[in-house]
Amino acid sequence: MQDFSFYNPTRIEFGAGKIAQLSELVPAAARVLVLLGGDSARRSGTLDEVLAALGEREVQLFNGIEPNPSFETLMQAVAQVREQQLDYLLAVGGGSVIDGTKFVAAAALYEGDAWDILLKSGQNVTAALPFGCVLTLPATGSEMNKGSVITRKSLAAKLPFMSEHLYPVFSILDPVKTYTLPPRQIANGVVDAFMHVMEQYLTYPANAPVQDRFAEGLLQTLIEIGPKALAEPEDYQTRASLMWTATLALNGLIGAGVPQDWATHMLGHELTALHGLDHAQTLAIILPEMLRQRKATKLGKLVQYAERVWGITTGSEDEKAEAAIERTRDFFESVGVKTRLGDYGLGAEHIDAIIDSLQSHGMTQLGEHGDVTPELCRNILLASL
Ligand code: NZQ
Ligand code: ZN
């Protein structure tokens, strides 16, 4: 096991009806900005519940944080916070609203050009406004981590940043709030959470048996409950398991003390920035070939994954690895997320621009060994057509 420092101060309030607890979780004297996506929170009644729980506090709204939240939109929220002297943020939505809120929390207190926060991956964030979350979409883990991913439309750039100042103070996870999600978003959530586990698990053996078994348990749970979550949208227990699994997949726990990959995510961000694909769609396309092209360095973990997660016990090591990769692709397809570039109207002619963009963002030595080069990424995309 590698040395590590583990810190996670986010309070989780989990269960049906928990939104009412906002009345105690948000300080009584707070001047609150509630940040929202499109109209899903308004339509589902979640916003009304939130406003009722906030009671007499000074509350303003900021509407319109888009999926893959943009710098351009979020700077309008930063201006509102500064002009109206608001001092507490409340994200009501999915990963995009939460990520956007993290950016606003940091940018509102940042002196200088706020895009520098992305250019420095958040290392220059020294303070942030406090914020809480009401999660409506299980997928990203943003509700219990310090990361965020922001898009600057004018540059077609989608970049991540992180800071210890950006853990939510609290997150409310009410599985009932997921009932209104369309199947596409549930499928995206299952794939994204699965991928978060894979990025921290499928590297090389690191003498970390408990991290491995936590990770395998999360993967098996997603395989078991993903189809159920789609088939029975109002099955509370299934949605509850999905919500908590997605949070645990990226709250730092399973990644402590182990090598991490993240190459699939970084290449996927370029696909979203240039072609607008959903985050999870990009991951489903890239992962199978990412694993196949790196089979030699990942073989130990691929075989473990095949045996323990998929129950594949016959064949050579190579055959087990191949079978596990195909089972993974089939799983993504089975929940309705397509796994080929061609499924999204993309072809070989689009690959150069994706690789150029990856290079321009300095993403030239990705993966747990730093050996995932732009050339390898090109081969992965060609194999994913
Ligand atoms: O905008 P509204 O109207 O709210 O609708 C949203 C949006 O259209 C809708 N939705 C959310 N909750 C709903 C609902 N519709 C009906 N009922 C509900 N209860 O779902 C759509 C997608 O929402 P979005 O927040 O974009 O999805 P997700 O949670 O998958 O977040 C994706 C973003 O998170 C980033 C991704 O890159 C992407 O930008 N990620 C953040 C991470 C992190 N902070 O740790 C890690 C991830 O790897 C990921 O990169
Ligand atoms: Zn992700």
Side-chain angles (χ1 to χ4, degrees):
M1 200 183 303
Q2 301 175 346
D3 292 352
F4 64 89
S5 163
F6 180 73
Y7 168 73
N8 194 318
T10 301
R11 172 190 297 276
I12 297 294
E13 289 293 345
F14 193 101
K18 285 276 186 169
I19 288 178
Q21 293 201 0
L22 283 172
S23 60
E24 281 106 55
L25 292 166
V26 177
R31 293 172 55 76
V32 185
L33 182 65
V34 175
L35 296 102
L36 302 156
D39 63 352
S40 79
R42 206 178 288 271
R43 255 186 300 132
S44 63
T46 303
L47 179 59
D48 286 342
E49 275 179 63
V50 166
L51 295 177
L54 290 174
E56 298 301 306
R57 291 172 182 80
E58 170 75 28
V59 176
Q60 297 191 14
L61 301 183
F62 183 84
N63 286 292
I65 298 180
E66 56 281 78
N68 308 307
S70 79
F71 174 80
E72 287 86 348
T73 300
L74 297 168
M75 287 310 289
Q76 295 171 28
V78 172
Q80 186 174 344
V81 167
R82 287 180 173 160
E83 278 159 23
Q84 304 292 319
Q85 300 184 332
L86 304 172
D87 57 17
Y88 204 98
L89 308 181
L90 183 62
V92 180
S96 294
V97 174
I98 299 174
D99 280 11
T101 299
K102 288 176 176 176
F103 177 76
V104 174
L109 302 186
Y110 187 78
E111 287 172 22
D113 180 354
W115 185 244
D116 287 345
I117 294 173
L118 279 306
L119 295 180
K120 293 261 158 42
S121 309
Q123 286 161 22
N124 46 0
V125 173
T126 55
L129 289 175
F131 68 97
C133 309
V134 174
L135 180 68
T136 64
L137 196 174
T140 64
S142 189
E143 65 278 4
M144 199 178 174
N145 70 37
K146 60 178 175 178
S148 164
V149 192
I150 302 299
T151 296
R152 189 156 185 175
K153 288 184 188 159
S154 62
L155 302 177
K158 182 174 182 184
L159 298 176
F161 74 106
M162 276 183 195
S163 166
E164 298 261 312
H165 301 285
L166 291 173
Y167 284 101
V169 176
F170 66 82
S171 286
I172 295 179
L173 276 57
D174 175 349
V176 176
K177 294 295 155 205
T178 72
Y179 290 178
T180 53
L181 279 163
R184 168 168 157 187
Q185 298 304 340
I186 289 290
N188 280 348
V190 169
V191 170
D192 194 23
F194 195 94
M195 274 305 310
H196 294 157
V197 180
M198 292 292 269
E199 299 275 28
Q200 302 166 88
Y201 165 74
L202 220 148
T203 55
Y204 53 87
N207 291 312
V210 75
Q211 289 92 326
D212 280 1
R213 286 198 163 88
F214 267 131
E216 288 153 1
L218 294 174
L219 294 172
Q220 286 178 307
T221 304
L222 288 167
I223 292 164
E224 197 175 297
I225 66 176
K228 264 198 205 165
L230 283 164
E232 298 166 41
E234 304 204 358
D235 177 343
Y236 178 87
Q237 292 301 340
T238 300
R239 289 295 171 100
S241 282
L242 177 58
M243 211 168 202
W244 189 225
T245 305
T247 301
L248 290 170
L250 195 51
N251 71 350
L253 186 69
I254 63 167
V258 297
Q260 301 193 17
D261 185 339
W262 297 105
T264 299
H265 266 73
M266 295 308 128
L267 183 53
H269 290 164
E270 303 299 341
L271 276 174
T272 298
L274 290 173
H275 298 289
L277 272 64
D278 292 352
H279 173 61
Q281 294 172 339
T282 70
L283 307 173
I285 295 167
I286 296 166
L287 180 73
E289 290 304 328
M290 181 69 81
L291 294 178
R292 182 165 286 128
Q293 306 269 334
R294 295 165 68 194
K295 205 164 51 185
T297 54
K298 285 183 178 288
L299 193 63
K301 267 316 199 31
L302 272 170
V303 171
Q304 182 178 325
Y305 169 65
E307 291 173 347
R308 293 201 196 164
V309 175
W310 293 109
I312 300 164
T313 50
T314 55
S316 65
E317 290 201 329
D318 187 71
E319 283 165 349
K320 285 179 184 169
E322 277 298 325
I325 292 169
E326 279 318 303
R327 293 288 288 273
T328 308
R329 183 191 292 284
D330 292 347
F331 174 60
F332 293 164
E333 294 270 350
S334 77
V335 294
V337 184
K338 297 275 179 215
T339 60
R340 294 280 176 191
L341 281 168
D343 295 322
Y344 302 91
L346 297 176
E349 68 278 17
H350 297 107
I351 292 179
D352 280 350
I354 296 166
I355 298 302
D356 287 352
S357 192
L358 190 70
Q359 227 152 358
S360 78
H361 296 138
M363 306 283 177
T364 53
Q365 294 178 304
L366 298 171
E368 64 272 20
H369 299 294
D371 59 356
V372 180
T373 60
E375 255 338 280
L376 180 57
C377 290
R378 181 190 303 280
N379 292 340
I380 289 165
L381 293 176
L382 280 169
S384 309
L385 285 172

